[in-house]
């Protein structure tokens, strides 16, 4: 049974970053509104509007409806109440609110619910959302603006049909008509609304409020008077600015100018200029790749389309228009693994007889072995690319794809228990055994430390065309990276999916790693500094951390080098033994 208290039916949550949520919480009645709920909602909106800590409001509903309108079982109480009292009118308070209100429409928005949605500044909807005006069906006269607002948004003809015929409008239709800004999966709805809120909060808050006001006030006027209104308010704004405010504006622009592109969302799939640091850059490109209509070229173009369409959120790929045989990918370490928030770069080269032979894959290891399948010299061991054993279904075929390779690396290699990737150990993953648990826990601890080192090395020398991505990624995840290190260090929390206490050695290493990470991530997080300047500062700060031979491991561990080392050791031992024998003879 629902709790009828208005405090429980209208939920408000203020978050520390300036986002406030208002949730209509009467799911069993499809969030239909009673008079006390309307009064509570109006007062909460007014309170949030006057709260300086709140920058953006997100309005949504719980369950499968946004709001199904007024509860008709209490219609007389609602409609014969004091409808002219603006203090208790939620739509009036929303229209008075100077702060942006984002409507997150999670389901049905019917009649009064539709009007509340129209009182928001813009809407994000789930695919299940439906808008419906049933005023004409039930003999209710609109009083919250639906008859006037809807026609101005979607046009009078569509508005007449929607209202007079009580025609449901789907989320996709609403997006095409300009009623909804974005349509997303239901699970992504509040996440998308928050992303927009965070983007708004990054801007000058005084101007955000003024801008919303001039848009809303100008919309009520004809274009000529609206333009005059804009000019009048612009003069008023600049006349009121002090020298200090102008100076701050100049400083902000100086820091923002070169960094402007970084605030645009980085594309998951992109065609970029050729990367001069690509591992396979010196490989020869055959004629197969230059003939537009060749089978290889058509296959690669098909791969590009697949990557552009189907890449997961945590994988980014860049290809090159001058070298279609080369790709570069980055995989973000998943939560719940010792690789969390790390960036793992792979250079890929397609053979001339692709797809009959698998691609070559090189891992940017920085001289670190943080997985049994990823070698210090960049070699990637994976049955799908025929660099390891496997069954026929696990090996590369002409129907295999680059996307499968990347997803295999993410899921099978960069997993929560990489210890069991070692040959002969894979069967231990299915057994609960103290010895196995101790060994894979120790391995996970070491991997987490190496993953943190890898972050520093990547920031010191980010791959070409991914420089801004690297800086922005670590800027966004600074708090969570440092928090995870502190949690493992102070509260005995665990790496990956392990469920036993971390070792004291591990925590000692973490203390050292935390200070190094903090120094570098503080540079990355500094405001009003362009990203290229941040990279220079990071490079200076991390120079002493870089291993001297970290890019020479392919040489250091080659068979010739090992043989030479054995010969040298043997000669030294022989020399020592000879001198010892001579001394004894004397």
């Amino acid at each position: 049974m629902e709790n009828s208290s208005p405090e429980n039916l209208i939920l408000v949550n203020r978050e520390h970053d300036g986002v406030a949520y208002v949730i209509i919480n009467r799911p069993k009645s499809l969030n239909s509104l009673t008079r006390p709920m309307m009064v509570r909602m109006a007062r909460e909106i007014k309170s949030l509007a006057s709260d300086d800590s709140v920058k953006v409001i997100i309005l949504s509903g719980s369950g499968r409806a946004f709001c199904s309108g007024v509860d008709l079982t209490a219609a007389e109480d609602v409609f014969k109440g004091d409808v002219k009292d603006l203090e208790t009118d939620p739509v009036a308070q929303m229209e008075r609110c100077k702060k942006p209100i984002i409507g997150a429409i999670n389901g049905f928005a019917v009649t009064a619910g539709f009007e509340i949605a129209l009182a928001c500044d813009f809407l994000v909807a789930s695919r299940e959302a439906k808008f419906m005006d049933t005023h004409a069906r039930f003999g209710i006269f609109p009083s919250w603006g639906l008859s006037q607002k809807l026609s101005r948004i979607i046009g009078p003809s569509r508005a007449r049909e929607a209202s007079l015929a009580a025609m449901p409008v789907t989320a996709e239709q609403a997006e095409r008509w300009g009623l909804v800004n974005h349509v997303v999966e239901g699970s992504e709805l509040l996440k998308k609304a928050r992303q927009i809120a965070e983007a708004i909060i990054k801007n000058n808050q005084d101007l955000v409020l003024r801008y919303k006001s001039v848009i809303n006030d100008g919309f009520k006027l004809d274009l000529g008077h609206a333009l005059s209104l804009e000019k009048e308010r612009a003069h008023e704004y600049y006349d009121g600015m002090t020298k200090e405010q102008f100076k701050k504006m100049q400083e902000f622009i100086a820091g923002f100018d070169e960094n402007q592109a970084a605030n645009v969302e980085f594309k998951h799939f992109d065609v970029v200029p050729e990367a001069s640091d690509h591992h396979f850059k010196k490989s020869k490109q055959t004629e197969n790749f230059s003939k537009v209509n060749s089978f290889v070229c058509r296959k690669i173009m098909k791969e590009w389309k697949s990557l552009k369409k189907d890449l997961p959120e945590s994988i980014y790929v860049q290809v090159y228009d001058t070298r279609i045989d080369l790709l570069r990918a980055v995989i973000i370490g998943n939560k719940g693994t010792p690789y969390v928030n790390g960036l793992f770069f792979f250079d890929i080269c397609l053979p001339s007889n692709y797809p009959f032979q698998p691609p070559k894959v090189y891992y940017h290891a920085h001289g670190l072995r943080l997985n049994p399948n990823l070698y210090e010299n960049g070699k990637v061991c994976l049955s799908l690319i025929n660099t390891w054993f496997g069954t026929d279904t696990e090996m590369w075929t002409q129907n295999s794809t680059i996307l499968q390779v990347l997803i295999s690396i993410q899921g099978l290699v960069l997993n929560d228990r990489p210890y069991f990737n070692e040959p002969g150990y894979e069967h231990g993953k299915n057994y609960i055994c103290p010895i196995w648990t101790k060994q894979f826990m120790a391995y996970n601890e070491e991997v987490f430390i190496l993953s943190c080192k890898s972050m520093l090395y990547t920031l010191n020398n980010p791959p070409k065309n991914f420089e801004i991505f690297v800086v922005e990624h670590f800027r966004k995840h600074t708090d969570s990276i440092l928090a995870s290190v502190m949690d493992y260090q102070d509260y005995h929390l665990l790496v990956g999916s392990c469920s036993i206490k971390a070792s004291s050695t591990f925590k000692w290493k973490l203390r050292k790693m935390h200070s190094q990470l903090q120094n570098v991530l503080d540079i990355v997080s500094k405001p009003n500094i362009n990203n290229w300047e941040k990279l220079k500062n990071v490079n200076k700060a991390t120079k002493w951390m870089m291993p001297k031979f970290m890019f020479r491991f392919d040489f250091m561990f080659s068979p010739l080098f090992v043989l030479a080392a054995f010969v040298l050791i043997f000669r030294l031992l022989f020399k020592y033994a000879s001198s010892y024998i001579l001394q004894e003879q004397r």
Side-chain angles (χ1 to χ4, degrees):
M1 189 172 175
E2 289 177 335
N3 190 330
S4 59
S5 168
E7 288 77 13
N8 295 313
L9 300 180
I10 302 294
L11 303 178
V12 179
N13 180 30
R14 292 169 166 85
E15 300 207 343
H16 69 278
D17 59 355
V19 179
Y21 291 88
V22 177
I23 307 295
I24 305 171
N25 185 41
R26 199 185 177 204
K28 291 182 181 177
S29 301
L30 297 179
N31 296 326
S32 59
L33 297 171
T34 62
R35 179 67 182 167
M37 287 172 68
M38 291 163 59
V39 172
R40 161 85 174 168
M41 186 173 167
R43 288 174 178 165
E44 289 297 340
I45 295 290
K46 184 178 180 181
S47 172
L48 294 172
S50 61
D51 186 343
D52 291 338
S53 68
V54 174
K55 311 300 180 188
V56 179
I57 300 167
I58 295 174
L59 175 63
S60 193
S62 59
R64 61 193 184 94
F66 171 72
C67 174
S68 60
V70 171
D71 185 347
L72 295 181
T73 62
E76 188 175 355
D77 181 39
V78 173
F79 297 125
K80 286 192 175 181
D82 190 357
V83 294
K84 293 181 180 179
D85 182 8
L86 299 183
E87 293 297 312
T88 58
D89 183 334
V91 170
Q93 291 302 323
M94 290 173 71
E95 290 171 344
R96 283 180 168 187
C97 181
K98 294 181 179 180
K99 295 168 182 178
I101 301 175
I102 302 171
I105 313 302
N106 53 302
F108 298 104
V110 181
T111 313
F114 197 166
E115 291 180 297
I116 289 172
L118 290 176
C120 298
D121 291 299
F122 47 85
L123 304 177
V124 181
S126 70
R127 297 196 186 282
E128 298 77 28
K130 278 190 175 66
F131 300 86
M132 194 170 178
D133 180 7
T134 61
H135 281 103
R137 178 176 295 178
F138 294 109
I140 303 169
F141 204 93
S143 60
W144 277 350
L146 204 155
S147 66
Q148 303 304 309
K149 291 179 182 177
L150 187 62
S151 60
R152 286 166 168 79
I153 297 171
I154 67 174
S157 296
R158 287 172 176 159
R160 288 188 197 104
E161 184 181 5
S163 296
L164 303 183
M167 181 189 74
V169 179
T170 65
E172 287 78 9
Q173 215 171 6
E175 185 181 32
R176 288 196 300 273
W177 289 355
L179 176 61
V180 165
N181 287 26
H182 305 278
V183 175
V184 297
E185 298 298 332
S187 59
E188 297 291 309
L189 181 64
L190 289 179
K191 181 181 176 183
K192 182 64 179 178
R194 172 170 265 286
Q195 284 176 350
I196 298 170
E198 288 171 353
I200 292 170
I201 289 170
K202 287 179 183 176
N203 297 326
N204 182 306
Q205 289 306 295
D206 178 43
L207 199 59
V208 164
L209 302 183
R210 290 173 183 266
Y211 216 142
K212 173 184 168 174
S213 175
V214 77
I215 290 172
N216 290 355
D217 293 345
F219 196 67
K220 300 170 188 173
L221 307 172
D222 61 74
L223 181 59
H225 285 94
L227 291 172
S228 298
L229 176 69
E230 181 191 70
K231 196 169 286 293
E232 178 187 326
R233 293 195 182 177
H235 288 312
E236 178 188 328
Y237 177 69
Y238 289 119
D239 286 346
M241 283 184 71
T242 64
K243 287 184 178 180
E244 284 185 8
Q245 287 174 312
F246 273 110
K247 188 178 178 181
K248 283 182 181 179
M249 182 195 291
Q250 290 166 347
E251 287 173 355
F252 178 80
I253 291 170
F256 181 79
D257 221 14
E258 290 183 35
N259 201 22
Q260 191 171 1
N263 292 324
V264 178
E265 191 174 349
F266 203 86
K267 292 180 181 177
H268 275 271
F269 177 86
D270 202 5
V271 182
V272 298
E274 188 177 335
S276 57
D277 63 338
H278 197 284
H279 182 74
F280 298 105
K281 185 180 183 297
K282 292 182 180 178
S283 64
K284 290 183 180 179
Q285 188 180 25
T286 64
E287 290 183 3
N288 290 348
F289 296 111
S290 56
K291 292 178 181 176
V292 177
N293 293 320
S294 69
F295 174 76
V296 174
C297 195
R298 291 200 308 273
K299 172 65 176 173
I300 292 172
M301 291 302 108
K302 190 177 177 181
E303 290 262 24
W304 284 17
K305 285 182 182 178
S306 172
L307 289 167
K308 187 174 184 178
K309 180 186 172 188
D310 300 322
L311 275 174
E313 282 289 317
S314 53
I315 300 179
Y316 294 77
V317 172
Q318 288 184 350
V319 296
Y320 313 101
D321 50 6
T322 56
R323 288 290 303 268
I324 65 169
D325 58 324
L326 303 183
L327 303 88
R328 173 167 284 166
V330 59
I331 298 174
I332 301 173
N334 280 334
K335 193 175 180 181
T337 73
Y339 306 103
V340 59
N341 289 325
L343 295 179
F344 305 93
F345 285 91
F346 298 87
D347 287 354
I348 300 170
C349 178
L350 308 180
S352 59
N353 58 346
Y354 185 81
F356 301 104
Q357 288 293 320
K360 296 177 183 177
V361 182
Y362 172 84
Y363 165 57
H364 289 236
H366 306 294
L368 302 174
R369 182 78 181 271
L370 41 66
N371 190 283
N373 299 77
L374 303 176
Y375 286 41
E376 300 97 323
N377 62 1
K379 181 180 177 181
V380 177
C381 274
L382 194 68
S383 55
L384 185 56
I385 56 174
N386 297 356
T387 53
W388 192 247
F389 307 105
T391 63
D392 290 342
T393 56
E394 293 172 338
M395 304 295 281
W396 180 270
T397 71
Q398 66 184 66
N399 297 317
S400 302
T401 65
I402 299 296
L403 183 60
Q404 287 176 329
V405 173
L406 295 174
I407 290 174
S408 294
I409 293 172
Q410 184 180 51
L412 301 178
V413 177
L414 300 171
N415 59 43
D416 61 339
R417 290 184 284 178
Y419 175 76
F420 295 110
N421 289 10
E422 285 281 7
Y425 293 176
E426 59 273 7
H427 63 280
K429 201 169 189 177
N430 302 319
Y431 296 99
I432 300 173
C433 168
I435 296 173
W436 283 118
T437 303
K438 185 177 180 181
Q439 287 176 336
F440 87 71
M441 179 59 188
Y443 191 88
N444 270 20
E445 290 179 349
E446 188 60 30
V447 166
F448 184 75
I449 296 292
L450 292 177
S451 183
C452 290
K453 282 186 179 179
S454 181
M455 294 180 191
L456 296 173
Y457 295 169
T458 301
L459 274 163
N460 176 269
N461 188 29
K464 193 170 177 58
N465 298 320
F466 274 97
E467 297 95 340
I468 301 303
F469 173 84
V470 168
V471 174
E472 284 296 299
H473 169 81
F474 287 114
R475 182 188 65 78
K476 289 175 184 175
H477 294 91
T478 289
D479 290 343
S480 58
I481 291 169
L482 293 176
S484 65
V485 174
M486 286 298 293
D487 284 344
Y488 296 142
Q489 182 180 309
D490 295 340
Y491 301 107
H492 306 276
L493 297 182
L494 309 166
V495 177
S497 62
C498 308
S499 57
I500 61 175
K501 288 185 178 180
S503 68
S504 56
T505 304
F506 174 57
K507 287 187 283 184
W508 176 80
K509 288 180 179 178
L510 277 178
R511 280 193 285 274
K512 184 179 178 183
M513 181 54 63
H514 182 270
S515 62
Q516 293 178 356
L517 279 170
Q518 176 123 42
N519 290 339
V520 173
L521 294 177
D522 281 350
I523 296 170
V524 170
S525 303
K526 281 184 179 177
N528 302 333
I529 299 176
N530 72 70
N531 283 334
W532 295 105
E533 194 63 35
K534 287 179 183 179
L535 281 173
K536 285 181 185 176
N537 294 338
V538 166
N539 193 269
K540 290 176 186 175
T542 56
K543 225 169 192 178
W544 64 273
M545 300 178 195
M546 301 300 109
K548 294 179 182 177
F549 300 107
M550 73 177 189
F551 300 112
R552 297 293 295 167
F553 272 86
D554 53 338
F555 163 74
M556 289 177 68
F557 289 94
S558 66
L560 284 174
F561 179 83
V562 173
L563 180 62
F566 272 115
V567 169
L568 181 61
I569 292 167
F570 180 77
R571 288 186 65 181
L572 289 171
L573 288 171
F574 181 78
K575 186 178 179 181
Y576 175 79
S578 299
S579 61
Y580 179 78
I581 291 168
L582 286 172
Q583 284 179 0
E584 286 294 315
Q585 288 176 348
R586 287 173 186 172

